[in-house]
Amino acid sequence: MSICLGVLWILPHFVSAQTSVSILIGDSACAISEVTTQTELKPGWKIVDIQTNGKLTRYLWGKHSRQFADDQQPTFIIHTGGYKLTDFAIIKLKEKKEYRRFAQHNLYECDFNRIDLDIMEIVILDDNKYRVRFHAPQSPGEYVIVNLKSAPVNDMGDVKVYPYTIVR
């Protein structure tokens, strides 16, 4: 009996350790599904026993995300799950015919905006839960919210991101 009570006491702590991101559409909060990035290695050339370095490309499959923002200043609810809010960043993706590509393979080399008071209005909702809204309208396109401190899911360095689209 005491083991069951111990497990029931610990279970909510594990559930709250997960991060989640929702977007406000009208008055409703819609959860943004997390997606794992994909990495492609394009090998370099081999010329007379000299091998050039290959190139890594990080992308998300699909022309658009499944979540569309209703205006150019979207509002998000971010449950940080024990991370700091400044560990989260927003990255704009380059749109291709069948996929969306990051500007660089390394997320820190991409042009990103950290979620902080300089570019966003931040309201504390709960413990580890925040409502954030851009101060200025964002340009239309494909974006992701990423936790820069999260652990990679595989040896290629892929991470889980929360994609959304600001329509034209």
Side-chain angles (χ1 to χ4, degrees):
M1 176 79 96
S2 63
I3 293 173
C4 292
L5 290 174
V7 170
L8 290 175
W9 181 78
I10 292 173
L11 186 61
H13 296 288
F14 284 120
V15 173
S16 66
Q18 294 182 359
T19 61
S20 65
V21 177
S22 300
I23 188 169
L24 288 179
I25 304 295
D27 292 336
S28 301
C30 300
I32 299 176
S33 301
E34 68 179 12
V35 176
T36 303
T37 61
Q38 296 176 346
T39 300
E40 178 182 7
L41 172 62
K42 295 180 181 177
W45 293 89
K46 185 171 185 175
I47 304 168
V48 189
D49 295 333
I50 298 174
Q51 178 73 37
T52 61
N53 290 337
K55 182 179 179 185
L56 291 171
T57 305
R58 186 181 307 262
Y59 65 94
L60 294 176
W61 190 253
K63 187 172 181 168
H64 296 289
S65 69
R66 294 183 181 180
Q67 185 59 58
F68 292 94
D70 60 347
D71 65 351
Q72 291 187 341
Q73 286 178 274
T75 303
F76 301 99
I77 296 175
I78 299 176
H79 185 264
T80 59
Y83 291 98
K84 297 177 185 173
L85 188 60
T86 55
D87 292 340
F88 289 81
I90 296 176
I91 301 174
K92 186 169 183 179
L93 304 177
K94 295 183 178 189
E95 299 173 52
K96 299 295 181 181
K97 189 173 185 177
E98 294 181 0
Y99 60 93
R100 296 152 287 159
R101 185 174 63 87
F102 288 79
Q104 300 291 326
H105 177 261
N106 186 350
L107 296 177
Y108 286 100
E109 293 176 3
C110 292
D111 185 24
F112 63 86
N113 290 319
R114 284 195 187 266
I115 296 179
D116 61 7
L117 290 171
D118 292 337
I119 63 165
M120 299 186 132
E121 171 190 336
I122 300 173
V123 176
I124 300 171
L125 298 177
D126 238 352
D127 191 31
N128 296 330
K129 199 176 210 182
Y130 303 90
R131 186 179 73 220
V132 297
R133 179 178 169 85
F134 285 101
H135 289 306
Q138 301 299 300
S139 61
E142 298 290 322
Y143 294 87
V144 294
I145 297 175
V146 62
N147 182 352
L148 296 172
K149 301 284 180 157
S150 65
V153 296
N154 59 24
D155 59 344
M156 297 294 277
D158 292 322
V159 293
K160 295 191 181 284
V161 297
Y162 301 92
Y164 67 95
T165 303
I166 296 179
V167 292
R168 292 170 168 73

